[in-house]
Amino acid sequence: MDRRQVWRAVLGELEISLSQATFETWFRRTALLRVDESTATFVLGVPSGFAKDWVDERYRSLIAQTLAKVVGYSVTLSVEVVSDAELDAHGALATKGKGVASVDTAPRATTPQESVRIVDREAPARATNLNARYTFATYVVGAANRLAHAASLSVSERPGGAYNPLFLYGGTGLGKTHLLHAIGNAVAERSPKRQVLYITGEAFTNEFITSIQQSGAEAFRSRFRKIDVLLIDDIQFLADKERTQEEFFHTFNALVDQNKQIVISADRAPGEIKDLEDRIKSRLQCGLVVDLHPTDYELRLGILQQKAEFYRQQYPGLQIAQGVLDFLAHRITTNVRVLEGALTRLFAFASLVGREITLELAQDCLADILRA
């Protein structure tokens, strides 16, 4: 199967799972540029820096999982900005049309299409699903998350050591997911041969159900019990799912018995997760349990300063007036994702209208967010 066929199969899956508006906005003008078989890295082309940031932050995991479903093994996703002409040359869908089955009017590439390796989905997978942008270097540390950061850093340096499992909990948008990816990226960089897997509780459940339907649970067990560092995000999703909890319980025991590292996140402490079996709660509490507190002003400002520096490189020449970041740090206090999303929206809007980011522009552009 060549790259064009693989990406069309992925688009077909994405069109089903996403809203039509989301699909048309972010995925219609995309193409699979190249594949590095030696590292299982798939390079996706998008038409703008803003699209790259949006896809990277919100859809990287979904795309990687869908690609893995199509080709039969876990993959690493990279996103690059390319011209419309290059997207057309690699088979991107036309700007307008209905669905991925619409007539492909884009010119065909003149270079031969390399074949993408497709394997038996029961075969052992190279585990990844990590977002390369979420590292310890890009994680802003403050009083609210200092212990969680220190524990995560320690785990990345000695997987399977003192803190096993490591359980991180806190409200939405406090940095739990970032730390899980940072641990995985640090381990993968330091020990490339280690099997590292980041997966959400929902995806874990879905993979278990799919394995039962297609090939039985043995293939699922074979995959997950060979992982060296297992990172599960939002474990609360397993609540009230008896068979998935049973499989997780045995997977947990198998990995810990082998001194393999487990890191888990949730929106609340283990004992507070309703409909989670007591035997699982006790195991989650036998390692180190760390909560991430709501961010303070200094931490929010630090996050905004780091994000603003990133966007200054993406939008050269775009100025941001003094006081804007301070204004946002004071007004958006509950969720780091909302805070970062507000700055992303502000830079994107300012770049479209060609204006300096002033306090007045921030107030107008983010009026709906600031009222919430």
Side-chain angles (χ1 to χ4, degrees):
M1 188 181 293
D2 67 29
R3 286 185 288 105
R4 197 185 300 257
Q5 292 172 318
V6 167
W7 188 239
R8 286 300 175 87
V10 170
L11 288 178
E13 295 281 345
L14 293 175
E15 189 173 25
I16 293 171
S17 61
L18 299 170
S19 69
Q20 189 65 23
T22 297
F23 178 83
E24 292 292 331
T25 301
W26 304 112
F27 292 100
R28 173 166 286 281
R29 292 297 292 162
T30 58
L32 192 57
L33 304 179
R34 57 188 179 276
V35 178
D36 183 346
E37 289 288 355
S38 65
T39 61
T41 299
F42 286 62
V43 181
L44 177 64
V46 297
S48 69
F50 186 49
K52 178 180 183 297
D53 295 339
W54 197 272
V55 169
D56 249 341
E57 292 181 5
R58 288 167 172 78
Y59 300 110
R60 170 183 286 273
S61 180
L62 174 62
I63 297 169
Q65 290 173 20
T66 307
L67 269 167
K69 180 179 178 182
V70 170
V71 300
Y73 52 92
S74 293
V75 308
T76 298
L77 183 70
S78 177
V79 185
E80 292 184 1
V81 178
V82 296
S83 66
D84 279 333
E86 190 167 355
L87 287 174
D88 289 337
H90 286 88
L93 297 175
T95 303
K96 296 182 180 180
K98 294 183 178 180
V100 298
S102 59
V103 177
D104 182 5
T105 58
R108 296 289 178 179
T110 57
T111 57
Q113 292 289 301
E114 71 267 26
S115 178
V116 176
R117 177 171 55 98
I118 306 295
V119 303
D120 182 350
R121 288 174 187 162
E122 295 184 19
R126 177 181 177 274
T128 51
N129 292 341
L130 295 171
N131 188 330
R133 292 178 59 188
Y134 290 159
T135 66
F136 288 115
T138 60
Y139 190 79
V140 181
V141 182
N145 59 19
R146 194 176 305 281
L147 178 57
H149 173 265
S152 299
L153 190 60
S154 178
V155 163
S156 74
E157 293 170 348
R158 291 197 311 124
Y163 307 140
N164 197 20
L166 173 61
F167 189 97
L168 306 174
Y169 75 94
T172 300
L174 297 183
K176 303 184 298 295
T177 297
H178 191 137
L179 284 175
L180 262 64
H181 283 279
I183 292 170
N185 282 314
V187 172
E189 181 179 359
R190 187 176 292 112
S191 306
K193 292 184 179 180
R194 288 185 188 266
Q195 291 281 307
V196 181
L197 173 65
Y198 166 87
I199 191 168
T200 64
E202 180 180 11
F204 183 90
T205 301
N206 292 339
E207 286 204 24
F208 178 60
I209 293 171
T210 300
S211 70
I212 293 175
Q213 293 172 340
Q214 294 183 352
S215 57
E218 191 53 43
F220 180 89
R221 296 182 186 125
S222 177
R223 179 192 178 196
F224 278 88
R225 296 182 191 183
K226 292 179 180 177
I227 300 300
D228 294 305
V229 179
L230 178 60
L231 312 155
I232 301 185
D233 209 355
D234 291 327
I235 196 71
Q236 71 272 6
F237 190 85
L238 271 60
D240 75 18
K241 298 173 178 63
E242 294 182 4
R243 292 193 65 183
T244 305
Q245 288 190 47
E246 175 78 17
E247 190 59 41
F248 171 76
F249 174 79
H250 293 298
T251 296
F252 181 100
N253 287 340
L255 292 179
V256 171
D257 287 346
Q258 300 174 67
N259 292 320
K260 304 298 180 65
Q261 180 69 51
I262 300 176
V263 185
I264 293 170
S265 81
D267 60 359
R268 69 206 81 166
E272 298 174 359
I273 303 177
K274 187 179 179 182
D275 296 325
L276 192 66
E277 294 179 3
D278 288 340
R279 61 178 179 170
I280 293 179
K281 291 180 182 179
S282 69
R283 279 160 175 76
L284 297 180
Q285 292 170 319
C286 72
L288 179 63
V289 178
V290 183
D291 61 328
L292 284 87
H293 302 288
T295 56
D296 54 25
Y297 164 77
E298 289 78 10
L299 180 56
R300 292 193 299 273
L301 184 60
I303 291 170
L304 286 171
Q305 288 171 339
Q306 183 187 74
K307 194 78 171 178
E309 182 58 33
F310 169 78
Y311 280 127
R312 286 190 185 98
Q313 297 173 13
Q314 301 296 308
Y315 303 98
L318 189 59
Q319 300 297 315
I320 181 167
Q322 187 174 2
V324 171
L325 299 185
D326 179 77
F327 167 74
L328 294 177
H330 274 112
R331 291 297 304 273
I332 303 176
T333 61
T334 58
N335 190 315
V336 172
R337 289 197 185 99
V338 174
L339 186 69
E340 293 181 331
L343 191 63
T344 299
R345 179 175 175 180
L346 190 54
F347 266 92
F349 182 78
S351 69
L352 290 173
V353 299
R355 291 176 55 187
E356 177 188 10
I357 301 176
T358 62
L359 188 59
E360 292 73 22
L361 181 63
Q363 292 171 327
D364 292 341
C365 180
L366 304 176
D368 55 336
I369 295 177
L370 298 173
R371 284 196 298 268

